[in-house]
Amino acid sequence: MINENENIQDPEMNNSEENVEQGTSATDELTNKLNESNDKYARLVAEFDNYKKRTAKEKIDFMQSAGKDVILKLLPVVDDFDRSLSFMKDVPEDDPMKQGIDLVYHKLKKTMEQLGVREIDVVGQPFDPEFEEAITLIPAPTPDLKDKVIDVIEKGYTLNDSVIRFAKVVVGQ
């Protein structure tokens, strides 16, 4: 009888071992699926965060470039104001024409500064090709002006620390 009991117990033990093995493999399978889902979720969150950052940067760049086009078209007007004021040096300060031109010029300059436009100050500075374009080289009037900007033909401007128009300059040799 012992042999019969052993035979009876063996199938039950085999079944319970199979159930444990199946339970373990099912748990492992569920754990793997959970890990995969968590990994996919983490990647999706990171991808969405990158998307938000990229679109915000593109929006800022678009706004700055849209303003850049308008400002580039206004720079010749500023140049004309500069020239007209330089020709009016001999006109008295109380002349209404000079006061009107001066008022409009300063209002335009102030508005451009509020938009982030800055004039590049280069006279007397060492020549820097990142901000200036050398139109011509002339002999330096003094040794200390060698390789420095002597005169500005056309002013240069930056928009939010990015050059939108290089200054056209005369450099001492």
Side-chain angles (χ1 to χ4, degrees):
M1 282 211 141
I2 295 176
N3 285 343
E4 288 178 14
N5 283 341
E6 286 177 12
N7 287 341
I8 293 174
Q9 289 178 349
D10 276 346
E12 289 176 10
M13 289 181 75
N14 287 341
N15 283 343
S16 65
E17 286 176 11
E18 286 177 13
N19 288 341
V20 169
E21 286 178 18
Q22 287 176 353
T24 304
S25 65
T27 304
D28 290 343
E29 186 177 323
L30 288 175
T31 304
N32 288 339
K33 285 183 179 180
L34 178 64
N35 289 339
E36 285 177 22
S37 295
N38 286 340
D39 184 51
K40 285 180 182 178
Y41 174 74
R43 289 177 190 269
L44 186 62
V45 167
E47 195 174 313
F48 182 68
D49 190 43
N50 289 339
Y51 167 77
K52 286 191 328 187
K53 289 177 184 176
R54 186 177 64 247
T55 54
K57 184 179 182 295
E58 287 173 356
K59 184 177 179 181
I60 290 170
D61 290 345
F62 176 73
M63 295 298 285
Q64 288 179 345
S65 68
K68 179 182 173 182
D69 293 338
V70 172
I71 290 168
L72 282 172
K73 291 183 191 260
L74 286 176
L75 289 180
V77 175
V78 174
D79 293 337
D80 290 342
F81 271 114
D82 282 334
R83 279 190 288 279
S84 68
L85 288 173
S86 69
F87 288 127
M88 297 182 80
K89 285 181 183 176
D90 298 332
V91 176
E93 291 296 322
D94 62 346
D95 184 318
M97 176 83 81
K98 183 174 183 177
Q99 289 176 349
I101 291 173
D102 198 38
L103 177 71
V104 174
Y105 172 72
H106 287 297
K107 191 180 267 188
L108 179 61
K109 293 272 291 195
K110 187 175 183 177
T111 302
M112 291 181 69
E113 285 175 5
Q114 289 171 348
L115 295 172
V117 178
R118 302 280 182 261
E119 187 178 305
I120 301 172
D121 184 28
V122 294
V123 175
Q125 302 292 324
F127 176 72
D128 185 357
E130 290 189 26
F131 295 102
E132 303 141 16
E133 180 181 335
I135 298 298
T136 187
L137 299 172
I138 63 169
T142 61
D144 63 320
L145 289 177
K146 186 174 184 176
D147 296 326
K148 292 188 178 179
V149 176
I150 295 175
D151 192 19
V152 177
I153 306 301
E154 186 177 70
K155 291 180 181 179
Y157 292 91
T158 60
L159 175 62
N160 301 321
D161 300 323
S162 175
V163 176
I164 58 172
R165 186 171 84 179
F166 292 93
K168 294 183 176 145
V169 299
V170 176
V171 180
Q173 207 175 20

